[in-house]
PDB file of all heavy atoms in Angstrom:
ATOM      1  N   ALA A  23     -11.694 -14.874 -16.040  1.00  0.00           N
ATOM      2  CA  ALA A  23     -11.221 -13.483 -16.121  1.00  0.00           C
ATOM      3  C   ALA A  23     -11.564 -12.848 -17.439  1.00  0.00           C
ATOM      4  O   ALA A  23     -11.724 -11.598 -17.528  1.00  0.00           O
ATOM      5  CB  ALA A  23      -9.745 -13.447 -15.876  1.00  0.00           C
ATOM      6  N   SER A  24     -11.664 -13.629 -18.493  1.00  0.00           N
ATOM      7  CA  SER A  24     -12.056 -13.113 -19.795  1.00  0.00           C
ATOM      8  C   SER A  24     -13.512 -12.871 -19.962  1.00  0.00           C
ATOM      9  O   SER A  24     -13.984 -12.434 -21.010  1.00  0.00           O
ATOM     10  CB  SER A  24     -11.558 -14.074 -20.893  1.00  0.00           C
ATOM     11  OG  SER A  24     -10.133 -14.251 -20.832  1.00  0.00           O
ATOM     12  N   GLY A  25     -14.320 -13.241 -18.986  1.00  0.00           N
ATOM     13  CA  GLY A  25     -15.768 -13.043 -18.995  1.00  0.00           C
ATOM     14  C   GLY A  25     -16.517 -14.084 -19.836  1.00  0.00           C
ATOM     15  O   GLY A  25     -17.664 -13.870 -20.202  1.00  0.00           O
ATOM     16  N   ASN A  26     -15.848 -15.266 -20.005  1.00  0.00           N
ATOM     17  CA  ASN A  26     -16.445 -16.308 -20.842  1.00  0.00           C
ATOM     18  C   ASN A  26     -17.149 -17.405 -20.061  1.00  0.00           C
ATOM     19  O   ASN A  26     -17.736 -18.335 -20.666  1.00  0.00           O
ATOM     20  CB  ASN A  26     -15.363 -16.935 -21.728  1.00  0.00           C
ATOM     21  CG  ASN A  26     -14.877 -15.955 -22.763  1.00  0.00           C
ATOM     22  OD1 ASN A  26     -15.608 -15.106 -23.241  1.00  0.00           O
ATOM     23  ND2 ASN A  26     -13.638 -16.094 -23.168  1.00  0.00           N
ATOM     24  N   VAL A  27     -17.122 -17.391 -18.753  1.00  0.00           N
ATOM     25  CA  VAL A  27     -17.861 -18.318 -17.908  1.00  0.00           C
ATOM     26  C   VAL A  27     -18.127 -17.677 -16.565  1.00  0.00           C
ATOM     27  O   VAL A  27     -17.313 -16.903 -16.047  1.00  0.00           O
ATOM     28  CB  VAL A  27     -17.065 -19.637 -17.745  1.00  0.00           C
ATOM     29  CG1 VAL A  27     -15.838 -19.467 -16.891  1.00  0.00           C
ATOM     30  CG2 VAL A  27     -17.945 -20.755 -17.139  1.00  0.00           C
ATOM     31  N   ALA A  28     -19.273 -17.947 -16.017  1.00  0.00           N
ATOM     32  CA  ALA A  28     -19.636 -17.462 -14.678  1.00  0.00           C
ATOM     33  C   ALA A  28     -19.250 -18.534 -13.675  1.00  0.00           C
ATOM     34  O   ALA A  28     -19.482 -19.728 -13.936  1.00  0.00           O
ATOM     35  CB  ALA A  28     -21.143 -17.141 -14.614  1.00  0.00           C
ATOM     36  N   ILE A  29     -18.715 -18.097 -12.538  1.00  0.00           N
ATOM     37  CA  ILE A  29     -18.338 -19.059 -11.482  1.00  0.00           C
ATOM     38  C   ILE A  29     -19.149 -18.717 -10.238  1.00  0.00           C
ATOM     39  O   ILE A  29     -19.216 -17.560  -9.793  1.00  0.00           O
ATOM     40  CB  ILE A  29     -16.829 -18.978 -11.169  1.00  0.00           C
ATOM     41  CG1 ILE A  29     -15.970 -19.265 -12.359  1.00  0.00           C
ATOM     42  CG2 ILE A  29     -16.492 -19.958 -10.026  1.00  0.00           C
ATOM     43  CD1 ILE A  29     -16.050 -20.649 -12.882  1.00  0.00           C
ATOM     44  N   VAL A  30     -19.862 -19.734  -9.727  1.00  0.00           N
ATOM     45  CA  VAL A  30     -20.673 -19.561  -8.514  1.00  0.00           C
ATOM     46  C   VAL A  30     -20.081 -20.440  -7.415  1.00  0.00           C
ATOM     47  O   VAL A  30     -19.925 -21.614  -7.593  1.00  0.00           O
ATOM     48  CB  VAL A  30     -22.119 -20.114  -8.822  1.00  0.00           C
ATOM     49  CG1 VAL A  30     -22.990 -20.081  -7.610  1.00  0.00           C
ATOM     50  CG2 VAL A  30     -22.751 -19.277  -9.978  1.00  0.00           C
ATOM     51  N   ASN A  31     -19.670 -19.846  -6.307  1.00  0.00           N
ATOM     52  CA  ASN A  31     -19.447 -18.449  -6.008  1.00  0.00           C
ATOM     53  C   ASN A  31     -18.170 -17.955  -6.659  1.00  0.00           C
ATOM     54  O   ASN A  31     -17.303 -18.747  -6.996  1.00  0.00           O
ATOM     55  CB  ASN A  31     -19.396 -18.203  -4.463  1.00  0.00           C
ATOM     56  CG  ASN A  31     -20.766 -18.256  -3.843  1.00  0.00           C
ATOM     57  OD1 ASN A  31     -21.782 -17.955  -4.462  1.00  0.00           O
ATOM     58  ND2 ASN A  31     -20.783 -18.513  -2.523  1.00  0.00           N
ATOM     59  N   ALA A  32     -17.970 -16.661  -6.734  1.00  0.00           N
ATOM     60  CA  ALA A  32     -16.852 -16.081  -7.466  1.00  0.00           C
ATOM     61  C   ALA A  32     -15.521 -16.407  -6.768  1.00  0.00           C
ATOM     62  O   ALA A  32     -15.492 -16.662  -5.573  1.00  0.00           O
ATOM     63  CB  ALA A  32     -17.016 -14.581  -7.580  1.00  0.00           C
ATOM     64  N   PHE A  33     -14.449 -16.415  -7.546  1.00  0.00           N
ATOM     65  CA  PHE A  33     -13.115 -16.516  -7.023  1.00  0.00           C
ATOM     66  C   PHE A  33     -12.889 -15.327  -6.052  1.00  0.00           C
ATOM     67  O   PHE A  33     -13.277 -14.180  -6.322  1.00  0.00           O
ATOM     68  CB  PHE A  33     -12.055 -16.448  -8.069  1.00  0.00           C
ATOM     69  CG  PHE A  33     -11.971 -17.709  -8.898  1.00  0.00           C
ATOM     70  CD1 PHE A  33     -12.503 -17.765 -10.198  1.00  0.00           C
ATOM     71  CD2 PHE A  33     -11.286 -18.856  -8.444  1.00  0.00           C
ATOM     72  CE1 PHE A  33     -12.418 -18.922 -10.948  1.00  0.00           C
ATOM     73  CE2 PHE A  33     -11.179 -19.996  -9.175  1.00  0.00           C
ATOM     74  CZ  PHE A  33     -11.753 -20.063 -10.455  1.00  0.00           C
ATOM     75  N   GLY A  34     -12.144 -15.566  -4.946  1.00  0.00           N
ATOM     76  CA  GLY A  34     -11.735 -14.510  -4.073  1.00  0.00           C
ATOM     77  C   GLY A  34     -12.678 -14.105  -2.981  1.00  0.00           C
ATOM     78  O   GLY A  34     -12.421 -13.177  -2.212  1.00  0.00           O
ATOM     79  N   ASN A  35     -13.842 -14.795  -2.898  1.00  0.00           N
ATOM     80  CA  ASN A  35     -14.802 -14.431  -1.850  1.00  0.00           C
ATOM     81  C   ASN A  35     -14.302 -14.663  -0.416  1.00  0.00           C
ATOM     82  O   ASN A  35     -14.860 -14.093   0.525  1.00  0.00           O
ATOM     83  CB  ASN A  35     -16.097 -15.304  -2.026  1.00  0.00           C
ATOM     84  CG  ASN A  35     -17.062 -14.696  -3.028  1.00  0.00           C
ATOM     85  OD1 ASN A  35     -16.694 -13.821  -3.801  1.00  0.00           O
ATOM     86  ND2 ASN A  35     -18.291 -15.217  -3.055  1.00  0.00           N
ATOM     87  N   GLY A  36     -13.266 -15.426  -0.276  1.00  0.00           N
ATOM     88  CA  GLY A  36     -12.753 -15.778   1.066  1.00  0.00           C
ATOM     89  C   GLY A  36     -12.362 -14.555   1.833  1.00  0.00           C
ATOM     90  O   GLY A  36     -12.356 -14.578   3.083  1.00  0.00           O
ATOM     91  N   VAL A  37     -12.012 -13.447   1.188  1.00  0.00           N
ATOM     92  CA  VAL A  37     -11.613 -12.235   1.926  1.00  0.00           C
ATOM     93  C   VAL A  37     -12.832 -11.661   2.696  1.00  0.00           C
ATOM     94  O   VAL A  37     -12.634 -10.994   3.714  1.00  0.00           O
ATOM     95  CB  VAL A  37     -11.065 -11.176   0.938  1.00  0.00           C
ATOM     96  CG1 VAL A  37     -12.148 -10.623   0.048  1.00  0.00           C
ATOM     97  CG2 VAL A  37     -10.439 -10.026   1.711  1.00  0.00           C
ATOM     98  N   ALA A  38     -14.081 -11.981   2.260  1.00  0.00           N
ATOM     99  CA  ALA A  38     -15.256 -11.430   2.949  1.00  0.00           C
ATOM    100  C   ALA A  38     -15.812 -12.350   4.024  1.00  0.00           C
ATOM    101  O   ALA A  38     -16.593 -11.901   4.859  1.00  0.00           O
ATOM    102  CB  ALA A  38     -16.357 -11.103   1.968  1.00  0.00           C
ATOM    103  N   ASP A  39     -15.423 -13.668   3.990  1.00  0.00           N
ATOM    104  CA  ASP A  39     -15.910 -14.491   5.091  1.00  0.00           C
ATOM    105  C   ASP A  39     -14.780 -14.868   6.058  1.00  0.00           C
ATOM    106  O   ASP A  39     -14.889 -15.724   6.893  1.00  0.00           O
ATOM    107  CB  ASP A  39     -16.648 -15.723   4.597  1.00  0.00           C
ATOM    108  CG  ASP A  39     -15.806 -16.772   3.948  1.00  0.00           C
ATOM    109  OD1 ASP A  39     -14.585 -16.692   3.971  1.00  0.00           O
ATOM    110  OD2 ASP A  39     -16.386 -17.751   3.428  1.00  0.00           O
ATOM    111  N   ASP A  40     -13.670 -14.194   5.941  1.00  0.00           N
ATOM    112  CA  ASP A  40     -12.624 -14.201   6.929  1.00  0.00           C
ATOM    113  C   ASP A  40     -13.230 -13.818   8.297  1.00  0.00           C
ATOM    114  O   ASP A  40     -13.987 -12.849   8.438  1.00  0.00           O
ATOM    115  CB  ASP A  40     -11.516 -13.208   6.551  1.00  0.00           C
ATOM    116  CG  ASP A  40     -10.349 -13.152   7.517  1.00  0.00           C
ATOM    117  OD1 ASP A  40     -10.605 -12.918   8.731  1.00  0.00           O
ATOM    118  OD2 ASP A  40      -9.225 -13.338   7.076  1.00  0.00           O
ATOM    119  N   LYS A  41     -12.952 -14.618   9.340  1.00  0.00           N
ATOM    120  CA  LYS A  41     -13.599 -14.332  10.635  1.00  0.00           C
ATOM    121  C   LYS A  41     -13.190 -12.988  11.210  1.00  0.00           C
ATOM    122  O   LYS A  41     -13.875 -12.414  12.055  1.00  0.00           O
ATOM    123  CB  LYS A  41     -13.243 -15.471  11.597  1.00  0.00           C
ATOM    124  CG  LYS A  41     -13.975 -16.764  11.304  1.00  0.00           C
ATOM    125  CD  LYS A  41     -13.647 -17.817  12.397  1.00  0.00           C
ATOM    126  CE  LYS A  41     -14.416 -19.121  12.135  1.00  0.00           C
ATOM    127  NZ  LYS A  41     -14.043 -19.821  10.905  1.00  0.00           N
ATOM    128  N   GLY A  42     -12.066 -12.467  10.746  1.00  0.00           N
ATOM    129  CA  GLY A  42     -11.660 -11.111  11.192  1.00  0.00           C
ATOM    130  C   GLY A  42     -12.462 -10.023  10.461  1.00  0.00           C
ATOM    131  O   GLY A  42     -12.852  -9.034  11.037  1.00  0.00           O
ATOM    132  N   ILE A  43     -12.676 -10.191   9.174  1.00  0.00           N
ATOM    133  CA  ILE A  43     -13.469  -9.257   8.398  1.00  0.00           C
ATOM    134  C   ILE A  43     -14.882  -9.198   8.902  1.00  0.00           C
ATOM    135  O   ILE A  43     -15.571  -8.131   8.851  1.00  0.00           O
ATOM    136  CB  ILE A  43     -13.422  -9.625   6.885  1.00  0.00           C
ATOM    137  CG1 ILE A  43     -12.006  -9.409   6.320  1.00  0.00           C
ATOM    138  CG2 ILE A  43     -14.457  -8.804   6.109  1.00  0.00           C
ATOM    139  CD1 ILE A  43     -11.568  -7.978   6.239  1.00  0.00           C
ATOM    140  N   TYR A  44     -15.371 -10.275   9.444  1.00  0.00           N
ATOM    141  CA  TYR A  44     -16.725 -10.356  10.081  1.00  0.00           C
ATOM    142  C   TYR A  44     -16.954  -9.161  10.978  1.00  0.00           C
ATOM    143  O   TYR A  44     -18.057  -8.574  11.030  1.00  0.00           O
ATOM    144  CB  TYR A  44     -16.816 -11.685  10.810  1.00  0.00           C
ATOM    145  CG  TYR A  44     -17.855 -11.716  11.925  1.00  0.00           C
ATOM    146  CD1 TYR A  44     -19.118 -12.250  11.660  1.00  0.00           C
ATOM    147  CD2 TYR A  44     -17.556 -11.373  13.208  1.00  0.00           C
ATOM    148  CE1 TYR A  44     -20.089 -12.326  12.697  1.00  0.00           C
ATOM    149  CE2 TYR A  44     -18.443 -11.462  14.260  1.00  0.00           C
ATOM    150  CZ  TYR A  44     -19.723 -11.942  13.990  1.00  0.00           C
ATOM    151  OH  TYR A  44     -20.629 -12.023  15.006  1.00  0.00           O
ATOM    152  N   TYR A  45     -15.928  -8.790  11.723  1.00  0.00           N
ATOM    153  CA  TYR A  45     -15.997  -7.657  12.693  1.00  0.00           C
ATOM    154  C   TYR A  45     -16.533  -6.372  12.028  1.00  0.00           C
ATOM    155  O   TYR A  45     -17.167  -5.546  12.650  1.00  0.00           O
ATOM    156  CB  TYR A  45     -14.592  -7.465  13.270  1.00  0.00           C
ATOM    157  CG  TYR A  45     -14.407  -6.275  14.138  1.00  0.00           C
ATOM    158  CD1 TYR A  45     -14.548  -6.400  15.552  1.00  0.00           C
ATOM    159  CD2 TYR A  45     -13.976  -5.044  13.625  1.00  0.00           C
ATOM    160  CE1 TYR A  45     -14.396  -5.325  16.383  1.00  0.00           C
ATOM    161  CE2 TYR A  45     -13.784  -3.910  14.489  1.00  0.00           C
ATOM    162  CZ  TYR A  45     -13.947  -4.071  15.852  1.00  0.00           C
ATOM    163  OH  TYR A  45     -13.741  -3.050  16.658  1.00  0.00           O
ATOM    164  N   PHE A  46     -16.172  -6.199  10.739  1.00  0.00           N
ATOM    165  CA  PHE A  46     -16.467  -4.951  10.014  1.00  0.00           C
ATOM    166  C   PHE A  46     -17.789  -4.941   9.282  1.00  0.00           C
ATOM    167  O   PHE A  46     -18.146  -3.937   8.682  1.00  0.00           O
ATOM    168  CB  PHE A  46     -15.342  -4.642   9.073  1.00  0.00           C
ATOM    169  CG  PHE A  46     -13.989  -4.437   9.705  1.00  0.00           C
ATOM    170  CD1 PHE A  46     -13.062  -5.465   9.725  1.00  0.00           C
ATOM    171  CD2 PHE A  46     -13.667  -3.206  10.269  1.00  0.00           C
ATOM    172  CE1 PHE A  46     -11.833  -5.289  10.356  1.00  0.00           C
ATOM    173  CE2 PHE A  46     -12.423  -3.041  10.875  1.00  0.00           C
ATOM    174  CZ  PHE A  46     -11.469  -4.085  10.935  1.00  0.00           C
ATOM    175  N   VAL A  47     -18.552  -6.084   9.288  1.00  0.00           N
ATOM    176  CA  VAL A  47     -19.744  -6.149   8.425  1.00  0.00           C
ATOM    177  C   VAL A  47     -20.792  -5.104   8.816  1.00  0.00           C
ATOM    178  O   VAL A  47     -21.396  -4.470   7.954  1.00  0.00           O
ATOM    179  CB  VAL A  47     -20.344  -7.564   8.419  1.00  0.00           C
ATOM    180  CG1 VAL A  47     -21.613  -7.594   7.600  1.00  0.00           C
ATOM    181  CG2 VAL A  47     -19.364  -8.584   7.847  1.00  0.00           C
ATOM    182  N   PRO A  48     -21.079  -4.853  10.129  1.00  0.00           N
ATOM    183  CA  PRO A  48     -21.998  -3.780  10.437  1.00  0.00           C
ATOM    184  C   PRO A  48     -21.551  -2.426   9.896  1.00  0.00           C
ATOM    185  O   PRO A  48     -22.425  -1.621   9.437  1.00  0.00           O
ATOM    186  CB  PRO A  48     -22.012  -3.786  11.967  1.00  0.00           C
ATOM    187  CG  PRO A  48     -21.661  -5.184  12.379  1.00  0.00           C
ATOM    188  CD  PRO A  48     -20.644  -5.602  11.346  1.00  0.00           C
ATOM    189  N   LYS A  49     -20.295  -2.159   9.872  1.00  0.00           N
ATOM    190  CA  LYS A  49     -19.760  -0.915   9.268  1.00  0.00           C
ATOM    191  C   LYS A  49     -19.989  -0.910   7.759  1.00  0.00           C
ATOM    192  O   LYS A  49     -20.237   0.130   7.157  1.00  0.00           O
ATOM    193  CB  LYS A  49     -18.280  -0.783   9.623  1.00  0.00           C
ATOM    194  CG  LYS A  49     -18.004  -0.591  11.107  1.00  0.00           C
ATOM    195  CD  LYS A  49     -16.515  -0.358  11.341  1.00  0.00           C
ATOM    196  CE  LYS A  49     -16.287  -0.138  12.855  1.00  0.00           C
ATOM    197  NZ  LYS A  49     -14.882   0.218  13.158  1.00  0.00           N
ATOM    198  N   MET A  50     -19.852  -2.107   7.137  1.00  0.00           N
ATOM    199  CA  MET A  50     -20.120  -2.217   5.677  1.00  0.00           C
ATOM    200  C   MET A  50     -21.591  -1.870   5.376  1.00  0.00           C
ATOM    201  O   MET A  50     -21.861  -1.178   4.396  1.00  0.00           O
ATOM    202  CB  MET A  50     -19.848  -3.648   5.183  1.00  0.00           C
ATOM    203  CG  MET A  50     -18.450  -4.067   5.223  1.00  0.00           C
ATOM    204  SD  MET A  50     -18.312  -5.804   4.694  1.00  0.00           S
ATOM    205  CE  MET A  50     -16.699  -6.252   5.314  1.00  0.00           C
ATOM    206  N   VAL A  51     -22.515  -2.301   6.203  1.00  0.00           N
ATOM    207  CA  VAL A  51     -23.927  -2.029   5.992  1.00  0.00           C
ATOM    208  C   VAL A  51     -24.124  -0.488   6.031  1.00  0.00           C
ATOM    209  O   VAL A  51     -24.819   0.071   5.134  1.00  0.00           O
ATOM    210  CB  VAL A  51     -24.769  -2.692   7.072  1.00  0.00           C
ATOM    211  CG1 VAL A  51     -26.220  -2.209   6.993  1.00  0.00           C
ATOM    212  CG2 VAL A  51     -24.682  -4.217   6.904  1.00  0.00           C
ATOM    213  N   ARG A  52     -23.580   0.180   7.018  1.00  0.00           N
ATOM    214  CA  ARG A  52     -23.672   1.636   7.085  1.00  0.00           C
ATOM    215  C   ARG A  52     -23.006   2.298   5.924  1.00  0.00           C
ATOM    216  O   ARG A  52     -23.519   3.256   5.373  1.00  0.00           O
ATOM    217  CB  ARG A  52     -23.101   2.142   8.405  1.00  0.00           C
ATOM    218  CG  ARG A  52     -23.803   1.600   9.663  1.00  0.00           C
ATOM    219  CD  ARG A  52     -23.279   2.197  10.949  1.00  0.00           C
ATOM    220  NE  ARG A  52     -23.876   1.577  12.092  1.00  0.00           N
ATOM    221  CZ  ARG A  52     -23.249   0.621  12.814  1.00  0.00           C
ATOM    222  NH1 ARG A  52     -22.091   0.217  12.516  1.00  0.00           N
ATOM    223  NH2 ARG A  52     -23.880   0.101  13.885  1.00  0.00           N
ATOM    224  N   TYR A  53     -21.830   1.827   5.562  1.00  0.00           N
ATOM    225  CA  TYR A  53     -21.021   2.466   4.509  1.00  0.00           C
ATOM    226  C   TYR A  53     -21.611   2.336   3.132  1.00  0.00           C
ATOM    227  O   TYR A  53     -21.711   3.317   2.410  1.00  0.00           O
ATOM    228  CB  TYR A  53     -19.583   1.886   4.548  1.00  0.00           C
ATOM    229  CG  TYR A  53     -18.621   2.537   3.596  1.00  0.00           C
ATOM    230  CD1 TYR A  53     -18.047   3.763   3.868  1.00  0.00           C
ATOM    231  CD2 TYR A  53     -18.272   1.900   2.428  1.00  0.00           C
ATOM    232  CE1 TYR A  53     -17.129   4.326   3.022  1.00  0.00           C
ATOM    233  CE2 TYR A  53     -17.377   2.471   1.500  1.00  0.00           C
ATOM    234  CZ  TYR A  53     -16.835   3.677   1.799  1.00  0.00           C
ATOM    235  OH  TYR A  53     -15.929   4.306   0.929  1.00  0.00           O
ATOM    236  N   TYR A  54     -21.981   1.110   2.769  1.00  0.00           N
ATOM    237  CA  TYR A  54     -22.472   0.873   1.376  1.00  0.00           C
ATOM    238  C   TYR A  54     -23.943   1.145   1.232  1.00  0.00           C
ATOM    239  O   TYR A  54     -24.379   1.581   0.165  1.00  0.00           O
ATOM    240  CB  TYR A  54     -22.170  -0.539   0.969  1.00  0.00           C
ATOM    241  CG  TYR A  54     -20.686  -0.859   0.817  1.00  0.00           C
ATOM    242  CD1 TYR A  54     -20.085  -1.775   1.616  1.00  0.00           C
ATOM    243  CD2 TYR A  54     -19.905  -0.193  -0.143  1.00  0.00           C
ATOM    244  CE1 TYR A  54     -18.725  -2.048   1.514  1.00  0.00           C
ATOM    245  CE2 TYR A  54     -18.558  -0.491  -0.300  1.00  0.00           C
ATOM    246  CZ  TYR A  54     -17.973  -1.408   0.555  1.00  0.00           C
ATOM    247  OH  TYR A  54     -16.624  -1.695   0.420  1.00  0.00           O
ATOM    248  N   LEU A  55     -24.740   0.852   2.249  1.00  0.00           N
ATOM    249  CA  LEU A  55     -26.182   0.940   2.102  1.00  0.00           C
ATOM    250  C   LEU A  55     -26.805   2.151   2.795  1.00  0.00           C
ATOM    251  O   LEU A  55     -27.956   2.514   2.567  1.00  0.00           O
ATOM    252  CB  LEU A  55     -26.838  -0.322   2.676  1.00  0.00           C
ATOM    253  CG  LEU A  55     -26.335  -1.655   2.114  1.00  0.00           C
ATOM    254  CD1 LEU A  55     -27.131  -2.834   2.720  1.00  0.00           C
ATOM    255  CD2 LEU A  55     -26.431  -1.695   0.592  1.00  0.00           C
ATOM    256  N   GLY A  56     -26.026   2.812   3.676  1.00  0.00           N
ATOM    257  CA  GLY A  56     -26.546   3.944   4.391  1.00  0.00           C
ATOM    258  C   GLY A  56     -27.682   3.581   5.349  1.00  0.00           C
ATOM    259  O   GLY A  56     -28.584   4.383   5.600  1.00  0.00           O
ATOM    260  N   GLU A  57     -27.615   2.368   5.888  1.00  0.00           N
ATOM    261  CA  GLU A  57     -28.668   1.824   6.792  1.00  0.00           C
ATOM    262  C   GLU A  57     -28.038   1.361   8.067  1.00  0.00           C
ATOM    263  O   GLU A  57     -26.873   1.012   8.144  1.00  0.00           O
ATOM    264  CB  GLU A  57     -29.402   0.688   6.090  1.00  0.00           C
ATOM    265  CG  GLU A  57     -30.060   1.044   4.775  1.00  0.00           C
ATOM    266  CD  GLU A  57     -30.568  -0.134   4.006  1.00  0.00           C
ATOM    267  OE1 GLU A  57     -30.382  -1.309   4.493  1.00  0.00           O
ATOM    268  OE2 GLU A  57     -31.149   0.023   2.925  1.00  0.00           O
ATOM    269  N   GLU A  58     -28.920   1.290   9.111  1.00  0.00           N
ATOM    270  CA  GLU A  58     -28.448   0.639  10.358  1.00  0.00           C
ATOM    271  C   GLU A  58     -28.597  -0.894  10.212  1.00  0.00           C
ATOM    272  O   GLU A  58     -29.595  -1.354   9.669  1.00  0.00           O
ATOM    273  CB  GLU A  58     -29.250   1.163  11.553  1.00  0.00           C
ATOM    274  CG  GLU A  58     -28.761   2.482  12.077  1.00  0.00           C
ATOM    275  CD  GLU A  58     -27.312   2.477  12.457  1.00  0.00           C
ATOM    276  OE1 GLU A  58     -26.967   1.633  13.327  1.00  0.00           O
ATOM    277  OE2 GLU A  58     -26.566   3.281  11.937  1.00  0.00           O
ATOM    278  N   PRO A  59     -27.580  -1.654  10.689  1.00  0.00           N
ATOM    279  CA  PRO A  59     -27.680  -3.110  10.593  1.00  0.00           C
ATOM    280  C   PRO A  59     -28.938  -3.626  11.341  1.00  0.00           C
ATOM    281  O   PRO A  59     -29.158  -3.257  12.462  1.00  0.00           O
ATOM    282  CB  PRO A  59     -26.422  -3.645  11.252  1.00  0.00           C
ATOM    283  CG  PRO A  59     -25.490  -2.419  11.231  1.00  0.00           C
ATOM    284  CD  PRO A  59     -26.374  -1.226  11.336  1.00  0.00           C
ATOM    285  N   ILE A  60     -29.636  -4.538  10.669  1.00  0.00           N
ATOM    286  CA  ILE A  60     -30.823  -5.169  11.359  1.00  0.00           C
ATOM    287  C   ILE A  60     -30.370  -6.340  12.202  1.00  0.00           C
ATOM    288  O   ILE A  60     -30.914  -6.494  13.312  1.00  0.00           O
ATOM    289  CB  ILE A  60     -31.794  -5.641  10.235  1.00  0.00           C
ATOM    290  CG1 ILE A  60     -32.350  -4.443   9.429  1.00  0.00           C
ATOM    291  CG2 ILE A  60     -32.945  -6.459  10.830  1.00  0.00           C
ATOM    292  CD1 ILE A  60     -33.100  -4.812   8.150  1.00  0.00           C
ATOM    293  N   LEU A  61     -29.435  -7.088  11.756  1.00  0.00           N
ATOM    294  CA  LEU A  61     -28.891  -8.247  12.503  1.00  0.00           C
ATOM    295  C   LEU A  61     -27.671  -7.819  13.258  1.00  0.00           C
ATOM    296  O   LEU A  61     -26.811  -7.093  12.757  1.00  0.00           O
ATOM    297  CB  LEU A  61     -28.595  -9.408  11.587  1.00  0.00           C
ATOM    298  CG  LEU A  61     -29.793 -10.041  10.870  1.00  0.00           C
ATOM    299  CD1 LEU A  61     -29.348 -11.096   9.852  1.00  0.00           C
ATOM    300  CD2 LEU A  61     -30.761 -10.642  11.868  1.00  0.00           C
ATOM    301  N   LYS A  62     -27.513  -8.330  14.411  1.00  0.00           N
ATOM    302  CA  LYS A  62     -26.366  -8.066  15.267  1.00  0.00           C
ATOM    303  C   LYS A  62     -25.215  -9.057  15.021  1.00  0.00           C
ATOM    304  O   LYS A  62     -25.465 -10.228  14.773  1.00  0.00           O
ATOM    305  CB  LYS A  62     -26.760  -8.156  16.759  1.00  0.00           C
ATOM    306  CG  LYS A  62     -27.877  -7.209  17.169  1.00  0.00           C
ATOM    307  CD  LYS A  62     -28.239  -7.412  18.640  1.00  0.00           C
ATOM    308  CE  LYS A  62     -29.391  -6.510  19.045  1.00  0.00           C
ATOM    309  NZ  LYS A  62     -29.758  -6.791  20.487  1.00  0.00           N
ATOM    310  N   ASN A  63     -23.982  -8.566  15.188  1.00  0.00           N
ATOM    311  CA  ASN A  63     -22.860  -9.428  15.330  1.00  0.00           C
ATOM    312  C   ASN A  63     -22.770  -9.874  16.789  1.00  0.00           C
ATOM    313  O   ASN A  63     -23.187  -9.128  17.643  1.00  0.00           O
ATOM    314  CB  ASN A  63     -21.538  -8.723  15.028  1.00  0.00           C
ATOM    315  CG  ASN A  63     -21.160  -8.802  13.526  1.00  0.00           C
ATOM    316  OD1 ASN A  63     -21.957  -9.229  12.711  1.00  0.00           O
ATOM    317  ND2 ASN A  63     -19.938  -8.413  13.207  1.00  0.00           N
ATOM    318  N   ALA A  64     -22.151 -11.046  17.048  1.00  0.00           N
ATOM    319  CA  ALA A  64     -21.788 -11.311  18.422  1.00  0.00           C
ATOM    320  C   ALA A  64     -20.732 -10.321  18.839  1.00  0.00           C
ATOM    321  O   ALA A  64     -19.927  -9.882  18.025  1.00  0.00           O
ATOM    322  CB  ALA A  64     -21.187 -12.756  18.489  1.00  0.00           C
TER     323      ALA A  64
END
């Protein structure tokens, strides 16, 4: 937290690979990148 060491992968990433959050990834692509998703979700 003090910026004195890098952690790979970062703490807290689990919120983004939650299987429920997966549902929103195509929306994230449009929201953050302004692009249509190339890969499909099931």
Side-chain angles (χ1 to χ4, degrees):
S24 300
N26 291 329
V27 68
I29 303 293
V30 175
N31 281 336
F33 286 103
N35 275 14
V37 69
D39 72 7
D40 181 304
K41 289 183 176 65
I43 291 292
Y44 158 94
Y45 174 90
F46 298 98
V47 178
K49 296 184 178 185
M50 292 177 199
V51 172
R52 297 185 186 100
Y53 183 77
Y54 293 116
L55 306 182
E57 301 169 358
E58 279 302 304
I60 296 167
L61 294 175
K62 301 177 182 179
N63 271 13

